[in-house]
Amino acid sequence: MKEYIMKSRIKFEKKVTKFFLKLTLAVFFSLVCCGTMGMTAFADKSDFKIDAEMMPSGIYTYDVRLTVENTGKDWEGTVRVTVDSSYSAYYNDCAYDTVISLPQGSTKQFVIRIPIPRDGTNSMSRTGDGVKVTLIDGNSNVAAERIFKQLLNSGVDALTMGILSDDYSSLTYMDMGGQKLYYYSDDYPIRLVELNQDNLPDSLDSLTFLVIDRYNTGVLTDDEISAIEDWTDDGGILVIGTGSYAEDTLSGLDYLGIECREVYEKGVNVNKWNSVSDYVDWSQLNMANIVDTSGRYYTYSQSLAMTRDKIDGAVAVLPYSLSELGALSASDYSDYVTQSDFVYVILDDSSSNANSRYGNSYSSGYDSSYMTRRMLSALGNSNNILNFGVLKFIVIVYVILVGPVFYLILRALKKRDLYWAVVPAAALVGIVLVFFAGRGFEVVSTRVYSVTVCNLSDRKDCRTYLHCFDAGHREWSLRLAEGYEYAGPQTSYGVSDDDEYYYRIRKEGDRLFFGIRPTTSFEDGYFCAGRTADARTEGGRIESDLSSMKFTVLSVTNDTNYDFDYFAVVEGDSVRVFRNLAAGETSSLNKKEEVFVSALGGYYYYDYMYDAREAVKAEEMDIMAALGIGISSAYSQLNGNGIAIIGLTTDWDKTVDDGCSEVSYGCLYMIQSQ
């Protein structure tokens, strides 16, 4: 019996072994076949050659030139460009599509414009993300694909900092020991370059930062000083250390508008700085009493850096010497700050006002993106409180009548046998009445609310912000008017599902389309779009008459072709709003009634919409939101001084050349600096 059981067991084990052997062979051959198929697909993709390069770009877009060559058979489809976010999928939700036809042996070259993250635009998370180019045929099949790493920052893998000093070795800690600086939507290490008077002019173009410390700038020639100033204007970030070397270091830099009145020795008058910043034991440093004679600088409390914008770049002057700072011990810093951490703070504060860093001037820490997004989301909400009074009345009357009331009436008439006929008839009448009463609330097409903001001082600085929604739970797309050259998402929506991107920007010929793939009905889409110039504002200006005693607006002249329904005057940290300023009219503000006055104080100045809600009718809140977008754009460029005049007109051309319901506003503004 045992022998029989053993033989049976051996036979069973052999069968199991054969089964798993066959299964393994089947899996192996399946993988080989799949690999062959994959190789075939890859071979098909080799029929296309894809190349991409960065073009010189403006402050609004990254311009990517694509070259697509077809070495196979005739092909028609879409070239899709997406920014592959390694940082957050929340930004990977927009596809930039271009419809092309590629006959066999042909090559097509075209430019894709991706909006730079500015005023809240969320086209990408950071510039170090890869740009993916995908060729998709009419059946949604991928014909070819290629990812370009570090394309948007032109392959830059580090920020170059030039050190102009008589003691270079004392400043090598400025590279933060390899710690990365968040700059222009990505993290970069700092690479140091030692400079002297001979190599300075030829080195400037390769620098992001220029640090001058413990160096007599008085020996520099006028041409060398001009080269530094031009480099700063073009986006460079100049950091000046002073301290006990203040007189020599500032001697050749009179154009900065900074004077050193006195240098305090270690421990003298130290409370002046200790009361502001506790990051460093300031008693261990010689501190310079530097004074802003230009009235253009803003002081950051933690680093004590006096900073200002300089066209596209920035200047920062420190009351201490960076070489002396480098000699401090770890115990001279606060418990929660290391030397590298503090250098990060210095560089972060020093570059905060530079266009070269953010693609947008920030006004003393003011972030216009929050205000823009907040106003854009409020736009289009003035009429969202629908009057359902008639519908309620019909429903209530029906509910009351259809039951006991009809029964009592029919019983009194001795017609109770008609009850079962009257009730359905009443229901039918009720449905018809509700249908016709509710027609006024139906959204029959995509609704668009747009605000075009133009800086009349620079007519290339024009952008359109759009808030859109549709009643249906379906993908929609709209064509922009002629002349628009780029478009993108204004806010990030969420995680994309595979390659089903939420936001869609498509180009056919010379026209742009924008749209969304909603997940629910009435889902909002927020966009920005722009053109390089706006002919509608050609020649127009807004003039202001200023007090000779104080930089205060006395009157405003509307020298444009548009009547302003409202206009705002921004002075310092306050905004005054007035009604009605016709084209060609001059208005004396002391004789004109203010709609309201709002303090812009605070990082996001919540008061504006609150004050507007109290001052105007509910149906005018859309206008206030549109004006708020213009105020935000203008305020971000004041840089802490000057005035801005913003005019709002409802008589503006449509921005969408397609079937939709659009309400369009125009915001025109000018900046007048002190």
Side-chain angles (χ1 to χ4, degrees), residues 211-243:
V211 174
I212 302 179
D213 186 272
R214 198 170 182 174
Y215 185 85
N216 185 359
T217 58
V219 303
L220 298 176
T221 66
D222 291 342
D223 289 343
E224 289 164 346
I225 294 295
S226 295
I228 294 174
E229 185 173 6
D230 292 343
W231 168 82
T232 309
D233 291 344
D234 289 338
I237 299 164
L238 178 63
V239 182
I240 309 293
T242 60

PDB file of all heavy atoms in Angstrom, residues 211-243:
ATOM      1  N   VAL A 211      28.702  89.290  -6.689  1.00  0.00           N
ATOM      2  CA  VAL A 211      28.935  89.723  -5.312  1.00  0.00           C
ATOM      3  C   VAL A 211      30.190  90.592  -5.290  1.00  0.00           C
ATOM      4  O   VAL A 211      31.262  90.164  -5.746  1.00  0.00           O
ATOM      5  CB  VAL A 211      29.101  88.509  -4.373  1.00  0.00           C
ATOM      6  CG1 VAL A 211      29.496  88.973  -2.973  1.00  0.00           C
ATOM      7  CG2 VAL A 211      27.814  87.702  -4.321  1.00  0.00           C
ATOM      8  N   ILE A 212      30.047  91.819  -4.790  1.00  0.00           N
ATOM      9  CA  ILE A 212      31.195  92.725  -4.623  1.00  0.00           C
ATOM     10  C   ILE A 212      31.357  92.986  -3.133  1.00  0.00           C
ATOM     11  O   ILE A 212      30.436  93.504  -2.482  1.00  0.00           O
ATOM     12  CB  ILE A 212      30.989  94.050  -5.380  1.00  0.00           C
ATOM     13  CG1 ILE A 212      30.751  93.793  -6.868  1.00  0.00           C
ATOM     14  CG2 ILE A 212      32.197  94.958  -5.195  1.00  0.00           C
ATOM     15  CD1 ILE A 212      30.504  95.060  -7.676  1.00  0.00           C
ATOM     16  N   ASP A 213      32.479  92.621  -2.597  1.00  0.00           N
ATOM     17  CA  ASP A 213      32.696  92.739  -1.151  1.00  0.00           C
ATOM     18  C   ASP A 213      34.196  92.877  -0.911  1.00  0.00           C
ATOM     19  O   ASP A 213      35.003  92.163  -1.528  1.00  0.00           O
ATOM     20  CB  ASP A 213      32.160  91.487  -0.448  1.00  0.00           C
ATOM     21  CG  ASP A 213      32.223  91.588   1.058  1.00  0.00           C
ATOM     22  OD1 ASP A 213      33.270  91.235   1.635  1.00  0.00           O
ATOM     23  OD2 ASP A 213      31.221  92.023   1.661  1.00  0.00           O
ATOM     24  N   ARG A 214      34.538  93.807  -0.025  1.00  0.00           N
ATOM     25  CA  ARG A 214      35.956  94.048   0.310  1.00  0.00           C
ATOM     26  C   ARG A 214      36.750  94.324  -0.965  1.00  0.00           C
ATOM     27  O   ARG A 214      37.785  93.707  -1.240  1.00  0.00           O
ATOM     28  CB  ARG A 214      36.536  92.854   1.060  1.00  0.00           C
ATOM     29  CG  ARG A 214      37.825  93.192   1.809  1.00  0.00           C
ATOM     30  CD  ARG A 214      38.248  92.088   2.727  1.00  0.00           C
ATOM     31  NE  ARG A 214      39.449  92.440   3.462  1.00  0.00           N
ATOM     32  CZ  ARG A 214      39.993  91.701   4.422  1.00  0.00           C
ATOM     33  NH1 ARG A 214      39.416  90.561   4.760  1.00  0.00           N
ATOM     34  NH2 ARG A 214      41.090  92.091   5.042  1.00  0.00           N
ATOM     35  N   TYR A 215      36.227  95.292  -1.743  1.00  0.00           N
ATOM     36  CA  TYR A 215      36.866  95.627  -3.017  1.00  0.00           C
ATOM     37  C   TYR A 215      36.656  97.109  -3.290  1.00  0.00           C
ATOM     38  O   TYR A 215      35.547  97.631  -3.122  1.00  0.00           O
ATOM     39  CB  TYR A 215      36.258  94.792  -4.152  1.00  0.00           C
ATOM     40  CG  TYR A 215      36.944  94.978  -5.491  1.00  0.00           C
ATOM     41  CD1 TYR A 215      38.076  94.242  -5.805  1.00  0.00           C
ATOM     42  CD2 TYR A 215      36.458  95.892  -6.423  1.00  0.00           C
ATOM     43  CE1 TYR A 215      38.716  94.405  -7.028  1.00  0.00           C
ATOM     44  CE2 TYR A 215      37.089  96.074  -7.650  1.00  0.00           C
ATOM     45  CZ  TYR A 215      38.220  95.321  -7.941  1.00  0.00           C
ATOM     46  OH  TYR A 215      38.854  95.492  -9.146  1.00  0.00           O
ATOM     47  N   ASN A 216      37.709  97.790  -3.714  1.00  0.00           N
ATOM     48  CA  ASN A 216      37.630  99.220  -4.012  1.00  0.00           C
ATOM     49  C   ASN A 216      37.106  99.402  -5.435  1.00  0.00           C
ATOM     50  O   ASN A 216      37.860  99.309  -6.409  1.00  0.00           O
ATOM     51  CB  ASN A 216      39.002  99.867  -3.857  1.00  0.00           C
ATOM     52  CG  ASN A 216      38.949 101.377  -4.050  1.00  0.00           C
ATOM     53  OD1 ASN A 216      37.882 101.948  -4.314  1.00  0.00           O
ATOM     54  ND2 ASN A 216      40.099 102.029  -3.917  1.00  0.00           N
ATOM     55  N   THR A 217      35.805  99.668  -5.575  1.00  0.00           N
ATOM     56  CA  THR A 217      35.208  99.819  -6.901  1.00  0.00           C
ATOM     57  C   THR A 217      35.616 101.134  -7.558  1.00  0.00           C
ATOM     58  O   THR A 217      35.349 101.342  -8.743  1.00  0.00           O
ATOM     59  CB  THR A 217      33.667  99.758  -6.824  1.00  0.00           C
ATOM     60  OG1 THR A 217      33.195 100.795  -5.952  1.00  0.00           O
ATOM     61  CG2 THR A 217      33.217  98.411  -6.301  1.00  0.00           C
ATOM     62  N   GLY A 218      36.278 102.001  -6.804  1.00  0.00           N
ATOM     63  CA  GLY A 218      36.748 103.257  -7.379  1.00  0.00           C
ATOM     64  C   GLY A 218      37.805 103.054  -8.452  1.00  0.00           C
ATOM     65  O   GLY A 218      38.044 103.959  -9.266  1.00  0.00           O
ATOM     66  N   VAL A 219      38.449 101.875  -8.482  1.00  0.00           N
ATOM     67  CA  VAL A 219      39.482 101.624  -9.487  1.00  0.00           C
ATOM     68  C   VAL A 219      38.872 101.179 -10.813  1.00  0.00           C
ATOM     69  O   VAL A 219      39.579 101.127 -11.832  1.00  0.00           O
ATOM     70  CB  VAL A 219      40.481 100.547  -8.997  1.00  0.00           C
ATOM     71  CG1 VAL A 219      41.110 100.968  -7.679  1.00  0.00           C
ATOM     72  CG2 VAL A 219      39.812  99.179  -8.874  1.00  0.00           C
ATOM     73  N   LEU A 220      37.591 100.855 -10.821  1.00  0.00           N
ATOM     74  CA  LEU A 220      36.947 100.412 -12.054  1.00  0.00           C
ATOM     75  C   LEU A 220      36.744 101.597 -12.987  1.00  0.00           C
ATOM     76  O   LEU A 220      36.456 102.720 -12.555  1.00  0.00           O
ATOM     77  CB  LEU A 220      35.593  99.761 -11.749  1.00  0.00           C
ATOM     78  CG  LEU A 220      35.620  98.503 -10.876  1.00  0.00           C
ATOM     79  CD1 LEU A 220      34.190  98.033 -10.589  1.00  0.00           C
ATOM     80  CD2 LEU A 220      36.415  97.392 -11.560  1.00  0.00           C
ATOM     81  N   THR A 221      36.884 101.351 -14.271  1.00  0.00           N
ATOM     82  CA  THR A 221      36.681 102.405 -15.265  1.00  0.00           C
ATOM     83  C   THR A 221      35.190 102.678 -15.449  1.00  0.00           C
ATOM     84  O   THR A 221      34.334 101.883 -15.038  1.00  0.00           O
ATOM     85  CB  THR A 221      37.288 101.996 -16.612  1.00  0.00           C
ATOM     86  OG1 THR A 221      36.553 100.874 -17.135  1.00  0.00           O
ATOM     87  CG2 THR A 221      38.761 101.624 -16.452  1.00  0.00           C
ATOM     88  N   ASP A 222      34.898 103.805 -16.117  1.00  0.00           N
ATOM     89  CA  ASP A 222      33.498 104.133 -16.391  1.00  0.00           C
ATOM     90  C   ASP A 222      32.840 103.056 -17.243  1.00  0.00           C
ATOM     91  O   ASP A 222      31.669 102.730 -17.047  1.00  0.00           O
ATOM     92  CB  ASP A 222      33.403 105.487 -17.106  1.00  0.00           C
ATOM     93  CG  ASP A 222      33.788 106.659 -16.207  1.00  0.00           C
ATOM     94  OD1 ASP A 222      33.788 106.467 -14.975  1.00  0.00           O
ATOM     95  OD2 ASP A 222      34.074 107.748 -16.742  1.00  0.00           O
ATOM     96  N   ASP A 223      33.574 102.502 -18.201  1.00  0.00           N
ATOM     97  CA  ASP A 223      33.027 101.441 -19.048  1.00  0.00           C
ATOM     98  C   ASP A 223      32.715 100.195 -18.231  1.00  0.00           C
ATOM     99  O   ASP A 223      31.701  99.516 -18.478  1.00  0.00           O
ATOM    100  CB  ASP A 223      34.006 101.093 -20.174  1.00  0.00           C
ATOM    101  CG  ASP A 223      34.094 102.187 -21.233  1.00  0.00           C
ATOM    102  OD1 ASP A 223      33.176 103.041 -21.266  1.00  0.00           O
ATOM    103  OD2 ASP A 223      35.071 102.180 -22.007  1.00  0.00           O
ATOM    104  N   GLU A 224      33.565  99.878 -17.268  1.00  0.00           N
ATOM    105  CA  GLU A 224      33.343  98.689 -16.445  1.00  0.00           C
ATOM    106  C   GLU A 224      32.145  98.891 -15.518  1.00  0.00           C
ATOM    107  O   GLU A 224      31.345  97.967 -15.315  1.00  0.00           O
ATOM    108  CB  GLU A 224      34.611  98.369 -15.649  1.00  0.00           C
ATOM    109  CG  GLU A 224      35.737  97.836 -16.532  1.00  0.00           C
ATOM    110  CD  GLU A 224      37.097  97.879 -15.850  1.00  0.00           C
ATOM    111  OE1 GLU A 224      37.237  98.559 -14.801  1.00  0.00           O
ATOM    112  OE2 GLU A 224      38.026  97.233 -16.362  1.00  0.00           O
ATOM    113  N   ILE A 225      31.991 100.091 -14.979  1.00  0.00           N
ATOM    114  CA  ILE A 225      30.824 100.393 -14.146  1.00  0.00           C
ATOM    115  C   ILE A 225      29.555 100.326 -14.991  1.00  0.00           C
ATOM    116  O   ILE A 225      28.536  99.763 -14.577  1.00  0.00           O
ATOM    117  CB  ILE A 225      30.961 101.784 -13.500  1.00  0.00           C
ATOM    118  CG1 ILE A 225      32.124 101.813 -12.510  1.00  0.00           C
ATOM    119  CG2 ILE A 225      29.661 102.170 -12.792  1.00  0.00           C
ATOM    120  CD1 ILE A 225      31.955 100.931 -11.298  1.00  0.00           C
ATOM    121  N   SER A 226      29.615 100.885 -16.196  1.00  0.00           N
ATOM    122  CA  SER A 226      28.456 100.844 -17.097  1.00  0.00           C
ATOM    123  C   SER A 226      28.109  99.409 -17.469  1.00  0.00           C
ATOM    124  O   SER A 226      26.926  99.060 -17.597  1.00  0.00           O
ATOM    125  CB  SER A 226      28.738 101.662 -18.358  1.00  0.00           C
ATOM    126  OG  SER A 226      28.896 103.030 -18.061  1.00  0.00           O
ATOM    127  N   ALA A 227      29.123  98.565 -17.641  1.00  0.00           N
ATOM    128  CA  ALA A 227      28.876  97.161 -17.975  1.00  0.00           C
ATOM    129  C   ALA A 227      28.140  96.455 -16.839  1.00  0.00           C
ATOM    130  O   ALA A 227      27.229  95.650 -17.076  1.00  0.00           O
ATOM    131  CB  ALA A 227      30.193  96.456 -18.281  1.00  0.00           C
ATOM    132  N   ILE A 228      28.522  96.753 -15.595  1.00  0.00           N
ATOM    133  CA  ILE A 228      27.836  96.169 -14.437  1.00  0.00           C
ATOM    134  C   ILE A 228      26.392  96.641 -14.390  1.00  0.00           C
ATOM    135  O   ILE A 228      25.465  95.859 -14.157  1.00  0.00           O
ATOM    136  CB  ILE A 228      28.574  96.522 -13.131  1.00  0.00           C
ATOM    137  CG1 ILE A 228      29.950  95.856 -13.087  1.00  0.00           C
ATOM    138  CG2 ILE A 228      27.741  96.115 -11.910  1.00  0.00           C
ATOM    139  CD1 ILE A 228      30.795  96.264 -11.895  1.00  0.00           C
ATOM    140  N   GLU A 229      26.175  97.945 -14.627  1.00  0.00           N
ATOM    141  CA  GLU A 229      24.821  98.486 -14.582  1.00  0.00           C
ATOM    142  C   GLU A 229      23.960  97.889 -15.696  1.00  0.00           C
ATOM    143  O   GLU A 229      22.804  97.515 -15.465  1.00  0.00           O
ATOM    144  CB  GLU A 229      24.854 100.004 -14.697  1.00  0.00           C
ATOM    145  CG  GLU A 229      23.486 100.651 -14.524  1.00  0.00           C
ATOM    146  CD  GLU A 229      23.540 102.164 -14.470  1.00  0.00           C
ATOM    147  OE1 GLU A 229      24.640 102.733 -14.683  1.00  0.00           O
ATOM    148  OE2 GLU A 229      22.488 102.781 -14.212  1.00  0.00           O
ATOM    149  N   ASP A 230      24.508  97.773 -16.907  1.00  0.00           N
ATOM    150  CA  ASP A 230      23.752  97.185 -18.021  1.00  0.00           C
ATOM    151  C   ASP A 230      23.433  95.716 -17.743  1.00  0.00           C
ATOM    152  O   ASP A 230      22.337  95.240 -18.060  1.00  0.00           O
ATOM    153  CB  ASP A 230      24.550  97.297 -19.323  1.00  0.00           C
ATOM    154  CG  ASP A 230      24.678  98.741 -19.795  1.00  0.00           C
ATOM    155  OD1 ASP A 230      23.894  99.592 -19.319  1.00  0.00           O
ATOM    156  OD2 ASP A 230      25.575  99.011 -20.619  1.00  0.00           O
ATOM    157  N   TRP A 231      24.406  95.008 -17.171  1.00  0.00           N
ATOM    158  CA  TRP A 231      24.183  93.597 -16.836  1.00  0.00           C
ATOM    159  C   TRP A 231      23.050  93.455 -15.826  1.00  0.00           C
ATOM    160  O   TRP A 231      22.203  92.569 -15.949  1.00  0.00           O
ATOM    161  CB  TRP A 231      25.481  93.000 -16.281  1.00  0.00           C
ATOM    162  CG  TRP A 231      25.332  91.660 -15.638  1.00  0.00           C
ATOM    163  CD1 TRP A 231      25.283  90.439 -16.256  1.00  0.00           C
ATOM    164  CD2 TRP A 231      25.197  91.396 -14.235  1.00  0.00           C
ATOM    165  NE1 TRP A 231      25.120  89.435 -15.332  1.00  0.00           N
ATOM    166  CE2 TRP A 231      25.070  89.994 -14.086  1.00  0.00           C
ATOM    167  CE3 TRP A 231      25.175  92.197 -13.099  1.00  0.00           C
ATOM    168  CZ2 TRP A 231      24.923  89.393 -12.836  1.00  0.00           C
ATOM    169  CZ3 TRP A 231      25.031  91.594 -11.862  1.00  0.00           C
ATOM    170  CH2 TRP A 231      24.906  90.217 -11.736  1.00  0.00           C
ATOM    171  N   THR A 232      23.006  94.355 -14.840  1.00  0.00           N
ATOM    172  CA  THR A 232      21.931  94.325 -13.846  1.00  0.00           C
ATOM    173  C   THR A 232      20.589  94.621 -14.502  1.00  0.00           C
ATOM    174  O   THR A 232      19.597  93.932 -14.249  1.00  0.00           O
ATOM    175  CB  THR A 232      22.196  95.331 -12.719  1.00  0.00           C
ATOM    176  OG1 THR A 232      23.509  95.137 -12.207  1.00  0.00           O
ATOM    177  CG2 THR A 232      21.193  95.152 -11.583  1.00  0.00           C
ATOM    178  N   ASP A 233      20.550  95.634 -15.358  1.00  0.00           N
ATOM    179  CA  ASP A 233      19.305  95.975 -16.047  1.00  0.00           C
ATOM    180  C   ASP A 233      18.774  94.805 -16.863  1.00  0.00           C
ATOM    181  O   ASP A 233      17.560  94.644 -17.035  1.00  0.00           O
ATOM    182  CB  ASP A 233      19.511  97.182 -16.966  1.00  0.00           C
ATOM    183  CG  ASP A 233      19.755  98.469 -16.192  1.00  0.00           C
ATOM    184  OD1 ASP A 233      19.471  98.491 -14.979  1.00  0.00           O
ATOM    185  OD2 ASP A 233      20.241  99.441 -16.800  1.00  0.00           O
ATOM    186  N   ASP A 234      19.667  93.983 -17.389  1.00  0.00           N
ATOM    187  CA  ASP A 234      19.277  92.856 -18.232  1.00  0.00           C
ATOM    188  C   ASP A 234      18.897  91.614 -17.434  1.00  0.00           C
ATOM    189  O   ASP A 234      18.640  90.564 -18.019  1.00  0.00           O
ATOM    190  CB  ASP A 234      20.413  92.502 -19.203  1.00  0.00           C
ATOM    191  CG  ASP A 234      20.588  93.562 -20.276  1.00  0.00           C
ATOM    192  OD1 ASP A 234      19.626  94.310 -20.520  1.00  0.00           O
ATOM    193  OD2 ASP A 234      21.686  93.649 -20.863  1.00  0.00           O
ATOM    194  N   GLY A 235      18.895  91.727 -16.102  1.00  0.00           N
ATOM    195  CA  GLY A 235      18.451  90.590 -15.295  1.00  0.00           C
ATOM    196  C   GLY A 235      19.438  90.098 -14.272  1.00  0.00           C
ATOM    197  O   GLY A 235      19.146  89.158 -13.526  1.00  0.00           O
ATOM    198  N   GLY A 236      20.627  90.693 -14.209  1.00  0.00           N
ATOM    199  CA  GLY A 236      21.601  90.271 -13.219  1.00  0.00           C
ATOM    200  C   GLY A 236      21.228  90.713 -11.814  1.00  0.00           C
ATOM    201  O   GLY A 236      20.486  91.680 -11.624  1.00  0.00           O
ATOM    202  N   ILE A 237      21.749  89.999 -10.821  1.00  0.00           N
ATOM    203  CA  ILE A 237      21.464  90.301  -9.414  1.00  0.00           C
ATOM    204  C   ILE A 237      22.778  90.701  -8.739  1.00  0.00           C
ATOM    205  O   ILE A 237      23.696  89.886  -8.600  1.00  0.00           O
ATOM    206  CB  ILE A 237      20.825  89.093  -8.707  1.00  0.00           C
ATOM    207  CG1 ILE A 237      19.510  88.750  -9.403  1.00  0.00           C
ATOM    208  CG2 ILE A 237      20.586  89.394  -7.233  1.00  0.00           C
ATOM    209  CD1 ILE A 237      18.979  87.384  -9.062  1.00  0.00           C
ATOM    210  N   LEU A 238      22.848  91.969  -8.344  1.00  0.00           N
ATOM    211  CA  LEU A 238      24.063  92.545  -7.770  1.00  0.00           C
ATOM    212  C   LEU A 238      23.935  92.599  -6.257  1.00  0.00           C
ATOM    213  O   LEU A 238      22.987  93.182  -5.731  1.00  0.00           O
ATOM    214  CB  LEU A 238      24.280  93.950  -8.347  1.00  0.00           C
ATOM    215  CG  LEU A 238      25.477  94.753  -7.835  1.00  0.00           C
ATOM    216  CD1 LEU A 238      26.788  94.055  -8.178  1.00  0.00           C
ATOM    217  CD2 LEU A 238      25.459  96.164  -8.419  1.00  0.00           C
ATOM    218  N   VAL A 239      24.891  91.988  -5.554  1.00  0.00           N
ATOM    219  CA  VAL A 239      24.894  91.950  -4.090  1.00  0.00           C
ATOM    220  C   VAL A 239      26.157  92.652  -3.595  1.00  0.00           C
ATOM    221  O   VAL A 239      27.276  92.259  -3.955  1.00  0.00           O
ATOM    222  CB  VAL A 239      24.849  90.507  -3.560  1.00  0.00           C
ATOM    223  CG1 VAL A 239      24.799  90.506  -2.031  1.00  0.00           C
ATOM    224  CG2 VAL A 239      23.652  89.754  -4.134  1.00  0.00           C
ATOM    225  N   ILE A 240      25.969  93.699  -2.784  1.00  0.00           N
ATOM    226  CA  ILE A 240      27.092  94.510  -2.290  1.00  0.00           C
ATOM    227  C   ILE A 240      27.221  94.327  -0.784  1.00  0.00           C
ATOM    228  O   ILE A 240      26.280  94.575  -0.026  1.00  0.00           O
ATOM    229  CB  ILE A 240      26.873  96.015  -2.585  1.00  0.00           C
ATOM    230  CG1 ILE A 240      26.528  96.236  -4.056  1.00  0.00           C
ATOM    231  CG2 ILE A 240      28.101  96.812  -2.171  1.00  0.00           C
ATOM    232  CD1 ILE A 240      27.630  95.931  -5.013  1.00  0.00           C
ATOM    233  N   GLY A 241      28.389  93.890  -0.343  1.00  0.00           N
ATOM    234  CA  GLY A 241      28.685  93.837   1.083  1.00  0.00           C
ATOM    235  C   GLY A 241      29.458  95.077   1.488  1.00  0.00           C
ATOM    236  O   GLY A 241      30.325  95.550   0.740  1.00  0.00           O
ATOM    237  N   THR A 242      29.168  95.620   2.680  1.00  0.00           N
ATOM    238  CA  THR A 242      29.831  96.864   3.092  1.00  0.00           C
ATOM    239  C   THR A 242      30.591  96.660   4.409  1.00  0.00           C
ATOM    240  O   THR A 242      31.735  96.271   4.409  1.00  0.00           O
ATOM    241  CB  THR A 242      28.811  98.015   3.207  1.00  0.00           C
ATOM    242  OG1 THR A 242      27.820  97.689   4.186  1.00  0.00           O
ATOM    243  CG2 THR A 242      28.144  98.281   1.866  1.00  0.00           C
ATOM    244  N   GLY A 243      29.949  96.930   5.537  1.00  0.00           N
ATOM    245  CA  GLY A 243      30.627  96.816   6.829  1.00  0.00           C
ATOM    246  C   GLY A 243      31.788  97.774   6.927  1.00  0.00           C
ATOM    247  O   GLY A 243      31.716  98.924   6.502  1.00  0.00           O
TER     248      GLY A 243
END
